[in-house]
Amino acid sequence: MAKQSCLIVLSASPLGVSAPSFLQCYKLTQSAFNIEIATPEATPPVFIDKDDQSSRWLNDIAAKNLLEPRSLSEVQGGQYSCVVVPHSPGASEDLASCKVLGKILTHCLAERKPVCAIGLGVCALLSAVKGEPPQWAFRDIALTGTKQRKMIRRHNKLATDYKSFLSSTHLPGNVLLLQKL
């Protein structure tokens, strides 16, 4: 039986994609799926948080030409069984507002295909809007995620304090459920 395909979506922002998160996603999905990687405009991703082991894995994957991304504009949501977005601080800059990715995610929802977004890769889900007036496509979907307190503490590169985190243009307050620190 032929393997189904999985789309791994990576940010092309200079803020980068977590190398450990990408590699965990890649390793977990490669045994069950044919993997395709896509970024906005097929721009090569910037990997952050690399150590010796992740650098070796990335070099090995790149040597096999498996790390050359497709452009999201070339991707048809129907050709994939699932979509995965690894932890990526850069997702808040490019994937959160990517209309093409929004269409892919909305298609996955309509077809009841799994979507997995990890860490700050969850920002990519903000791109999915539907209806008139436009509404967030995941608004009626049960999601699990990190508490804001943990996100603020872990990602002080993006937000130096609670107020700047909540006022971020990349994370609209009406999507976040606010909680008292």
Side-chain angles (χ1 to χ4, degrees):
M1 183 163 127
K3 284 185 181 180
Q4 296 179 356
S5 294
C6 172
L7 178 65
I8 298 180
V9 178
L10 303 178
S11 171
S13 163
L15 290 176
V17 174
S18 166
S21 180
F22 166 72
L23 291 171
Q24 287 173 349
C25 292
Y26 188 89
K27 291 174 193 177
L28 287 171
T29 55
Q30 76 173 351
S31 63
F33 298 97
N34 291 317
I35 298 172
E36 288 206 30
I37 297 169
T39 64
E41 308 305 321
T43 306
V46 174
F47 289 103
I48 60 171
D49 304 327
K50 291 189 282 187
D51 58 15
D52 290 340
Q53 182 180 7
S54 61
S55 291
R56 282 191 300 274
W57 268 94
L58 289 169
N59 289 337
D60 184 47
I61 295 169
K64 297 174 184 173
N65 294 324
L66 300 175
L67 200 52
E68 294 181 20
R70 292 180 62 184
S71 174
L72 281 169
S73 61
E74 298 172 359
V75 170
Q76 300 296 317
Q79 67 192 100
Y80 299 99
S81 300
C82 62
V83 174
V84 176
V85 186
H87 171 61
S88 173
S92 65
E93 287 198 343
D94 58 358
L95 299 180
S97 58
C98 180
K99 291 181 181 180
V100 175
L101 177 57
K103 289 179 183 177
I104 294 167
L105 294 173
T106 302
H107 176 80
C108 286
L109 282 174
E111 297 291 318
R112 305 183 74 65
K113 294 181 179 181
V115 173
C116 177
I118 300 162
L120 289 176
V122 171
C123 293
L125 302 181
L126 297 175
S127 66
V129 294
K130 64 181 181 177
E132 204 49 56
Q135 294 183 330
W136 190 43
F138 287 89
R139 75 182 185 288
D140 295 326
I141 306 296
L143 303 172
T144 60
T146 305
K147 291 183 179 180
Q148 289 180 11
R149 181 182 315 160
K150 289 182 182 178
M151 288 176 67
I152 293 167
R153 287 183 184 150
R154 286 187 194 152
H155 304 289
N156 59 2
K157 295 176 196 172
L158 294 177
T160 56
D161 64 274
Y162 187 66
K163 288 180 183 176
S164 67
F165 179 79
L166 292 177
S167 64
S168 169
T169 58
H170 304 299
L171 299 170
N174 63 342
V175 173
L176 296 173
L177 296 175
L178 303 180
Q179 59 181 316
K180 188 174 181 179
L181 290 174

